[in-house]
């Protein structure tokens, strides 16, 4: 099981890094107490960075992995499409590999991946067993300039090449969970059972079509 830490300014160089790590440590303690083994934080930021800042970022990741390990947890980094620090899978993989901590892994989000600056071929960069978790959503057929955090669709309702993406993950040995994150009002405000049933039905249909279910 995994959960979002809710802690910002944890990956990129920032004066608030120390305070963010302390808060992250507190969240790890809470999450571990209820049985969670994985905790993630996105890379969202709009600041400007230099090449040297990425070396600091790798050090930050290593420090966060060390904290997670104290509680028997794995920390995961989620690349966000609009981030000015880590927005693409190649950068995410390069950074987590540079951090080289056993309690740190990259998290792949289908929505951020396909709506951002990635190429489908970037999935080939993933090494077997490298991913810690996957967020499973679709991208609507609208101008990319209009995409934001609230335009995620249920898998199968959009235009992302989900079949190819899923098959590539299987080829890479990923056998973990696929969790669906949706923020549109109709999902947040809808009947929980009906929304969950729709998500399951459509997600499983996509998985069967891809031959992974």
């Amino acid at each position: 099981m995994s959960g979002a830490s809710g802690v910002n300014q944890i990956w990129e160089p920032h004066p608030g890094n120390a305070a963010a790590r302390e808060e992250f440590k507190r969240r790890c303690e809470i999450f571990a107490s209820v049985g969670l083994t994985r905790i993630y934080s996105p890379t969202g930021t709009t600041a400007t960075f230099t090449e040297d800042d990425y070396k600091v970022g790798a050090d930050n990741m290593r420090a966060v992995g060390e904290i997670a390990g104290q509680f028997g947890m794995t920390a995961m980094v989620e690349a966000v499409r609009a981030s000015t620090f880590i927005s693409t899978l190649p950068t995410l993989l390069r950074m987590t590999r540079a951090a080289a901590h056993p309690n740190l892994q990259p998290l792949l989000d289908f929505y951020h991946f396909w709506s951002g600056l990635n190429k489908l071929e970037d999935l080939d960069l993933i090494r077997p067993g490298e991913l810690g978790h996957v967020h499973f959503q679709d991208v609507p057929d609208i101008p990319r300039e209009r995409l934001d955090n609230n335009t995620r669709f249920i898998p199968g309702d959009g235009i992302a090449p989900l079949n190819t993406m899923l098959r590539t993950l299987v080829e890479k040995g990923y056998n973990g969970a696929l969790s669906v994150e949706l923020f549109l009002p109709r999902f947040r405000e809808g009947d929980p059972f009906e929304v969950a049933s729709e998500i399951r039905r459509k997600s499983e249909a996509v998985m069967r079509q891809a031959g992974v279910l």
Side-chain angles (χ1 to χ4, degrees):
M1 295 186 292
S2 68
S5 70
V7 181
N8 299 318
Q9 300 167 352
I10 200 168
W11 309 123
E12 74 275 14
H14 189 279
N17 281 153
R21 282 197 289 269
E22 283 301 310
E23 180 59 20
F24 182 83
K25 183 176 182 179
R26 189 179 75 86
R27 300 293 177 93
C28 282
E29 183 177 12
I30 294 172
F31 285 16
S33 71
V34 295
L36 271 67
T37 57
R38 297 174 182 273
I39 182 171
Y40 73 90
S41 184
T43 62
T45 179
T46 58
T48 302
F49 299 96
T50 67
E51 188 67 28
D52 288 340
D53 287 333
Y54 287 86
K55 299 175 183 177
V56 177
D59 292 338
N60 287 344
M61 289 182 180
R62 198 173 302 112
V64 170
E66 192 66 23
I67 293 171
Q70 295 173 20
F71 298 92
M73 301 186 74
T74 296
M76 299 181 295
V77 192
E78 177 185 23
V80 176
R81 64 183 298 275
S83 173
T84 54
F85 187 57
I86 302 174
S87 66
T88 65
L89 180 62
T91 301
L92 174 63
L93 296 177
R94 184 165 62 249
M95 294 286 290
T96 53
R97 289 169 185 172
H101 195 283
N103 295 89
L104 181 86
Q105 288 184 292
L107 184 157
L108 175 65
D109 184 292
F110 273 35
Y111 180 81
H112 288 302
F113 178 84
W114 193 248
S115 67
L117 297 174
N118 301 280
K119 305 186 302 294
L120 191 58
E121 294 79 11
D122 291 337
L123 293 174
D124 294 330
L125 300 173
I126 299 170
R127 296 171 181 169
E130 187 168 23
L131 291 181
H133 191 63
V134 173
H135 287 166
F136 187 41
Q137 309 92 348
D138 213 334
V139 180
D141 187 11
I142 62 175
R144 290 199 176 191
E145 290 80 1
R146 294 190 57 223
L147 295 172
D148 59 27
N149 206 40
N150 295 315
T151 51
R152 305 173 186 220
F153 275 12
I154 294 176
D157 283 353
I159 60 169
L162 302 183
N163 290 352
T164 301
M165 295 168 73
L166 286 173
R167 284 193 288 265
T168 301
L169 291 188
V170 170
E171 292 169 2
K172 295 295 182 177
Y174 182 76
N175 60 359
L178 298 174
S179 61
V180 180
E181 278 189 331
L182 302 168
F183 303 113
L184 281 168
R186 80 176 185 90
F187 300 128
R188 296 199 312 266
E189 300 166 8
D191 177 87
F193 180 80
E194 292 181 0
V195 171
S197 297
E198 181 183 4
I199 291 172
R200 178 173 181 173
R201 174 173 52 82
K202 292 180 176 179
S203 297
E204 290 183 348
V206 171
M207 295 169 70
R208 281 193 294 270
Q209 189 178 35
V212 300
L213 182 64

